[in-house]
Amino acid sequence: MIRPVLVAAAVLALACGRTEAAKLDRAAVNNAQFDDGEAKGVNPIVLKAQILLDRARFSPGLIDGRGAENFEKAIRAFQAANGLPSDGKLTRETWNKLAATSSNPALVTYELTRKDVRGPFTKRIPARMERMARLPKLGYHNALEKMAERFHTSEQLLERLNPGIGFRVAGAKLLVPAIDRGDPPAAIARVEVDKSARQVRLLDSSDKVLAVYPASIGSQEKPAPSGHAEVKRVVHNPTYHYDPDFAFKGVKTNRPFTIAAGPNNPVGSVWIDLSIESYGIHGTPEPGKIGKTFSHGCIRLTNWDAEDLASEVQKGTKVIFKDEMVESVNE
């Protein structure tokens, strides 16, 4: 006779087996094939799909191996651009089309350099903007954050891919997403900012979608503009100037101030200045919040997507703001 306590233990063991984290190593991800089962937690199939989407410039935002909203929106955009039913689900047909975009491995080895681990880093950054203004630089906190941003991934995923690596020693070999997007697309006609979808799209003159990026776009307090604009200039490694007229919630000063440059600056590593005064498209120090939170009126992307977009536009590039239930404008 099996004792009840042993039966309970066996049931618990089976339950734990079903929820055990998926194996996540080079072989599991690079050799991942489509599975129509429900993906839970960090999944090698989702991770591979995110990397392929990122390469194809249908950005899932932060690569984390999880099938969340930004991943679904990237899938939907990829499906629409490739004549597939755009339901945002990773179907076998979508997987096959996505896998055909690149045959290169999803995960590769990267060796940490002295520059990677040396910094300089900014270990402590205050939450309040007026206190940030006291710092000489808004750099990365550490090498882990720097490498995570370089490879478009969350710090948690990078640590899981590299157990036991302290990200402090030059010469250490890391397993990282291979996110080479190649040369920027040519013949760009305009940038489309879709407020309801929380996406920024790059289109050519025939309305073909060349790139899609998840975005945080305005808020009720500080809504994004409407209508048409154009790119005035691109500023890499920008400083941030706060005007008291902005009256941002949480800023407790009536004086203007300037925050030093750096990837953890409030506007990130690049500022794309628009012809509408005080508005721009820019990066962010918090890539995990893109598409999930609102902005102070501007269009906020991950640093890497903002930098990619900056490489694709030039002075005079048209920017069209698409409001809810309004069709995109054909020039």
Side-chain angles (χ1 to χ4, degrees), residues 3-330:
R3 296 180 181 179
V5 66
L6 295 178
V7 172
V11 171
L12 180 60
L14 288 172
C16 290
R18 286 196 298 268
T19 59
E20 185 179 357
K23 187 176 182 181
L24 212 64
D25 58 21
R26 184 194 302 268
V29 177
N30 288 345
N31 298 329
Q33 297 297 322
F34 177 76
D35 181 350
D36 57 5
E38 185 178 356
K40 294 182 179 181
V42 179
N43 184 280
I45 297 171
V46 172
L47 176 54
K48 185 174 181 178
Q50 286 179 327
I51 294 169
L52 291 170
L53 286 165
D54 188 282
R55 284 183 195 166
R57 286 190 166 88
F58 288 85
S59 174
L62 195 69
I63 294 174
D64 59 5
R66 299 178 182 274
E69 183 180 0
N70 283 340
F71 174 65
E72 292 175 3
K73 290 197 297 185
I75 287 288
R76 188 178 295 113
F78 178 82
Q79 291 169 327
N82 286 275
L84 302 173
S86 52
D87 57 6
K89 297 179 181 179
L90 186 59
T91 61
R92 183 175 297 279
E93 189 177 15
T94 302
W95 174 268
N96 291 341
K97 181 72 74 169
L98 189 56
T101 62
S102 176
S103 59
N104 294 331
L107 295 180
V108 294
T109 299
Y110 174 81
E111 185 174 313
L112 281 173
T113 67
R114 291 182 180 180
K115 185 177 179 181
D116 292 334
V117 301
R118 185 174 62 238
F121 299 119
T122 307
K123 294 184 178 181
R124 295 182 181 179
I125 298 177
R128 287 176 56 179
M129 294 175 68
E130 57 267 43
R131 291 181 179 174
M132 290 183 194
R134 302 173 187 173
L135 299 178
K137 182 179 176 62
L138 275 293
Y140 294 110
H141 292 93
N142 48 45
L144 171 60
E145 183 187 31
K146 184 177 183 179
M147 290 299 99
E149 183 156 301
R150 177 168 181 169
F151 296 105
H152 307 182
T153 182
S154 69
E155 294 178 35
Q156 292 78 12
L157 177 66
L158 197 57
E159 287 184 306
R160 182 168 171 183
L161 288 171
N162 299 280
I165 299 293
F167 298 88
R168 295 186 181 92
V169 180
K173 290 184 169 69
L174 306 181
L175 192 60
V176 300
I179 41 76
D180 180 19
R181 289 175 169 174
D183 295 331
I188 296 163
R190 68 181 185 275
V191 176
E192 184 178 87
V193 179
D194 190 328
K195 297 181 186 179
S196 60
R198 295 191 190 181
Q199 286 183 324
V200 171
R201 305 185 187 99
L202 200 63
L203 299 96
D204 68 10
S205 58
S206 66
D207 286 348
K208 179 183 177 181
V209 176
L210 304 174
V212 179
Y213 310 106
S216 293
I217 306 172
S219 64
Q220 288 186 340
E221 179 190 8
K222 298 286 183 180
S226 297
H228 295 197
E230 62 181 39
V231 173
K232 288 177 60 179
R233 59 177 180 153
V234 172
V235 182
H236 293 277
N237 205 30
T239 55
Y240 175 79
H241 304 285
Y242 178 78
D243 186 331
D245 290 341
F246 295 161
F248 288 169
K249 185 177 181 180
V251 177
K252 300 179 180 180
T253 181
N254 294 321
R255 297 181 178 180
F257 56 82
T258 298
I259 298 177
N264 277 313
N265 177 291
V267 294
S269 60
V270 67
W271 169 267
I272 302 171
D273 199 26
L274 301 182
S275 56
I276 303 173
E277 186 177 359
S278 78
Y279 284 95
I281 304 174
H282 63 83
T284 179
E286 298 180 295
K289 292 184 177 181
I290 290 299
K292 303 173 186 178
T293 58
F294 296 96
S295 73
H296 290 301
C298 290
I299 302 88
R300 187 184 301 160
L301 311 177
T302 65
N303 277 340
W304 54 87
D305 285 341
E307 289 168 5
D308 196 50
L309 180 62
S311 73
E312 297 157 343
V313 300
Q314 57 187 345
K315 184 178 180 180
T317 299
K318 295 178 181 178
V319 179
I320 297 172
F321 289 87
K322 182 180 176 183
D323 293 300
E324 292 185 26
M325 306 306 292
V326 177
E327 296 298 325
S328 61
V329 179
N330 295 316

